[in-house]
Amino acid sequence: MSVITASVGEKIRIYRKKKHMTLHELADRICKSKATVSKYEKGEIAMDLDTLYEVAAALDVHVSLLLYNEPQKTGERESDRFPFFQDTDHFYGYIYDGRESKVIRCFFEMAERLQEGRQKIRLYMNFRDYEQYQLCENTYEGYMEHFDAVTNIFLRNEYLPMEKASIQLLASSLDAAARMGLWNGLSTRPLMPVAAKIMLSRTILPESEELLSQLKISANDIKLFKLYNMFPVL
């Protein structure tokens, strides 16, 4: 069993379960036997590209979500100049949603480097289990770029193209385990522009009262809103 076939198979299994689809139903949609699909998911056999695209279509996901992401070597990414993103292919995010009074967990997955110093990135948002973060409410795809000490992340919802978001992270060139940034974009529930604090971290953070306090809008934040007529994040 190769690492690639095992990774692809695991992603197929996760997205199939997310769609509440049985092995038999997926097998019927791609005209394969149930036993063959089971072997795909276990990584026991590799599938050809045509079949991979058929599986993606059956699961109603972009084929890129099923592909294996090879870990980047140190020094390959432009982001290595930014200690927060150095020597890692993923990081975590936390947003407090006052509509549901809960912390929304985010998992950011960095992929290949694009032209002009941009880094491809994928966001899995609002999930229960860190081990199966793909089973999330929303999936975004986009890119990350750095300018001096500022990092910008631009994202688009995989299933709701009109729902776009961006993240601005100041002082990303400083070596810190966690940094506060600004999440802003267009929400579809309800349809309105939104802006919120987002905590980005290299490690999983305990969802404690301290984290909640940092994510919630404080009295000092409101004071700055009135002073600047803007939503600053310091």
Side-chain angles (χ1 to χ4, degrees):
M1 181 191 305
S2 75
V3 174
I4 295 176
T5 55
S7 175
V8 172
E10 174 65 10
K11 289 182 178 181
I12 291 173
R13 184 186 68 82
I14 288 173
Y15 283 109
R16 175 178 61 79
K17 289 194 171 185
K18 183 178 180 179
K19 299 291 183 179
H20 304 291
M21 187 184 300
T22 65
L23 271 173
H24 184 74
E25 289 171 335
L26 178 56
D28 281 348
R29 293 192 182 191
I30 64 173
C31 300
K32 302 286 184 182
S33 69
K34 179 181 176 182
T36 297
V37 174
S38 177
K39 289 181 179 179
Y40 287 154
E41 291 191 357
K42 293 176 182 177
E44 295 177 356
I45 57 175
M47 67 184 74
D48 55 64
L49 284 175
D50 288 342
T51 302
L52 182 62
Y53 273 85
E54 289 173 1
V55 170
L59 296 175
D60 192 27
V61 299
H62 194 279
V63 69
S64 64
L65 295 178
L66 304 179
L67 298 178
Y68 170 70
N69 292 319
E70 185 177 3
Q72 302 273 354
K73 296 179 181 179
T74 302
E76 284 190 341
R77 291 190 300 263
E78 183 176 331
S79 59
D80 288 341
R81 295 188 294 108
F82 296 79
F84 183 87
F85 302 101
Q86 192 171 2
D87 299 329
T88 186
D89 57 5
H90 69 273
F91 55 96
Y92 306 89
Y94 300 88
I95 299 172
Y96 179 75
D97 190 341
R99 295 170 298 185
E100 299 182 10
S101 300
K102 71 173 186 178
V103 172
I104 295 178
R105 299 169 179 167
C106 303
F107 185 94
F108 294 84
E109 194 173 63
M110 292 189 285
E112 71 270 16
R113 186 172 59 188
L114 304 175
Q115 293 181 349
E116 300 177 357
R118 294 177 176 180
Q119 182 84 35
K120 186 175 180 181
I121 196 164
R122 185 172 294 124
L123 164 61
Y124 302 88
M125 190 176 191
N126 202 7
F127 52 86
R128 293 184 179 181
D129 187 356
Y130 284 101
E131 294 297 320
Q132 299 189 69
Y133 57 84
Q134 295 96 335
L135 298 178
C136 60
E137 180 181 357
N138 293 299
T139 306
Y140 293 81
E141 195 167 55
Y143 63 90
M144 174 172 64
E145 59 186 12
H146 308 285
F147 295 102
D148 295 327
V150 179
T151 295
N152 294 309
I153 300 174
F154 302 95
L155 301 159
R156 183 177 65 179
N157 194 308
E158 282 280 322
Y159 303 104
L160 299 169
M162 67 174 293
E163 188 171 300
K164 299 179 181 180
S166 64
I167 299 171
Q168 288 75 45
L169 183 67
L170 298 177
S172 57
S173 58
L174 298 179
D175 191 2
R179 300 290 302 174
M180 185 69 76
L182 177 66
W183 165 281
N184 56 89
L186 182 66
S187 172
T188 56
R189 48 176 198 102
L191 183 63
M192 63 178 183
V194 295
K197 296 178 180 180
I198 181 169
M199 179 70 79
L200 300 181
S201 173
R202 290 172 56 88
T203 60
I204 296 174
L205 297 178
E207 295 171 24
S208 61
E209 287 300 322
E210 180 182 359
L211 178 61
L212 283 175
S213 177
Q214 291 176 305
L215 294 175
K216 289 181 178 180
I217 296 174
S218 66
N220 187 56
D221 291 329
I222 295 174
K223 181 179 179 180
L224 290 175
F225 297 164
K226 293 180 178 179
L227 178 63
Y228 300 135
N229 197 37
M230 301 176 184
F231 193 159
V233 175
L234 303 177

